[in-house]
Amino acid sequence: MKVAVLGGSEGSRSSAEAAASALKEAGHDVRLVPLEGDAASQLATWSPDAVFDAIEDGRSYDGDARVLAGLFDAVCVGSDEHACRLANDGSLLPGVMDAFRMSFGADITASWLAGICISRPAFMQWGLDGFLDRIADRALGFPLCVKPARGGSAKRADDVESLRSALEGALEVCPEAVVRQWVEGVELRACVLGSGWDAYTLPLVEVSCEGDAVRFSAPVRLDSLSPSESDAQAIIFEIERAALEAYQAFGMRDYGVIDMAWDGGQARILGIQTHPSMAQDREFQAACAAAGLSMPAVLDALVGQYE
């Protein structure tokens, strides 16, 4: 197949190059198409059969890549535009999961934090700066997690002053910021393959920080979850079930990653990635390797289903 791999700016080049390399190894005719400049004309001239989105700078997550592919009648591998836009906005996660719970009953495994969404105009013009203590109380008290609703990284706030600073920083990145309870526990990534009720999880990836570096290792260490091996295996089953619930709730397809944390009692859903990085040092490759799957085989299967 002729496959166009969409790559973004410098920050997502490693993902795009890794995806293109794997697809070439699988025997596809691949062209790496940077999103900047004349991406549309390149797609129009080359007429690929499929588009693989390897952009990490946020534009893929809001569905624009799917729109671009559709303009040239090319299949875009991965979740559709609607799912991408839902997943990219962190303020929508509670509503999407609440709707899923209402549809399938209260007996679901996943847990999530409602939090508060604050807009830049409200914070700057309505005097919300004077109510930071009440915002903290509504989000169940310190410590708090403050994150731009779309893009950007999370910051921890331990008091009113750090909450003010984190909010100001988040609202510089995005017009809305989400404030929610800070979750202590084991940070995990659940990588999922497949679509509909046939989707399944790869071995869980454990996230750890070594200085400023983030390390992704798979499978998760059992003793990170429980001293008891049998209990740890039961916890893994619960976490995987919660990840699949989130995957279904957002209507994802083909592949994706669910950002999670195990807080010692519940599997917490923290975020959704409809198009995770394909780079060698990131979670998706770590999960595939732990499952004994090669990247060429995985990407070939994802693309090949649309032949």
Side-chain angles (χ1 to χ4, degrees):
M1 292 178 69
K2 293 169 65 177
V3 184
V5 176
L6 292 183
S9 59
E10 183 72 27
S12 61
R13 186 170 297 169
S14 59
S15 176
E17 290 176 347
S21 176
L23 287 165
K24 286 179 181 177
E25 188 174 335
H28 295 280
D29 183 8
V30 180
R31 179 172 295 183
L32 186 58
V33 180
L35 199 60
E36 290 82 2
D38 61 348
S41 64
Q42 288 191 53
L43 291 176
T45 302
W46 195 50
S47 299
D49 302 306
V51 170
F52 191 91
D53 181 357
I55 306 165
E56 289 186 71
D57 55 13
R59 284 169 294 181
S60 59
Y61 304 145
D62 62 15
D64 289 346
R66 354 243 39 82
V67 174
L68 181 62
L71 290 174
F72 302 101
D73 299 320
V75 172
C76 195
V77 180
S79 297
D80 64 19
E81 175 188 350
H82 177 65
C84 290
R85 295 191 190 282
L86 285 178
N88 188 43
D89 192 334
S91 69
L92 300 180
L93 191 153
V96 172
M97 295 304 301
D98 282 336
F100 183 79
R101 172 177 282 166
M102 291 179 65
S103 297
F104 292 93
D107 189 26
I108 67 172
T109 301
S111 176
W112 53 93
L113 299 164
I116 300 169
C117 183
I118 298 174
S119 72
R120 186 184 300 147
F123 185 72
M124 302 298 293
Q125 300 172 20
W126 295 1
L128 287 182
D129 182 65
F131 292 89
L132 292 176
D133 53 344
R134 295 196 180 189
I135 291 172
D137 290 342
R138 182 61 61 90
L140 300 180
F142 295 108
L144 295 172
C145 174
V146 182
K147 189 179 186 303
R150 295 175 294 283
S153 57
K155 299 292 184 182
R156 174 172 167 147
D158 291 299
D159 51 38
V160 170
E161 287 304 315
S162 58
L163 174 58
R164 176 184 289 106
S165 176
L167 270 173
E168 290 172 346
L171 292 172
E172 288 180 359
V173 174
C174 177
E176 294 87 28
V178 176
V179 181
R180 60 166 174 78
Q181 187 181 16
W182 184 270
V183 178
E184 297 285 359
V186 183
E187 188 175 354
L188 302 164
R189 299 287 188 272
C191 300
V192 182
L193 289 175
S195 302
W197 298 109
D198 294 326
Y200 61 95
T201 59
L202 298 176
L204 294 176
V205 179
E206 185 173 353
V207 184
S208 57
C209 294
E210 299 176 355
D212 294 332
V214 179
R215 182 170 179 267
F216 301 96
S217 55
V220 60
R221 295 169 298 175
L222 296 182
D223 58 5
S224 294
L225 302 174
S226 173
S228 164
E229 181 176 345
S230 60
D231 287 349
Q233 293 290 359
I235 290 169
I236 287 174
F237 178 80
E238 183 172 337
I239 294 169
E240 291 175 340
R241 178 178 172 181
L244 289 174
E245 289 169 352
Y247 193 84
Q248 297 291 347
F250 278 83
M252 297 167 69
R253 72 182 186 206
D254 296 346
Y255 68 106
V257 172
I258 311 300
D259 300 345
M260 309 181 71
W262 175 256
D263 68 1
Q266 298 180 88
R268 300 280 199 175
I269 307 298
L270 302 181
I272 310 293
Q273 299 181 52
T274 52
H275 292 85
S277 173
M278 296 290 109
Q280 187 173 6
D281 59 348
R282 295 298 300 273
E283 61 265 53
F284 192 80
Q285 284 225 30
C288 288
L293 302 174
S294 71
M295 287 300 290
V298 171
L299 298 196
D300 181 47
L302 289 173
V303 170
Q305 67 182 319
Y306 293 107
E307 281 188 295

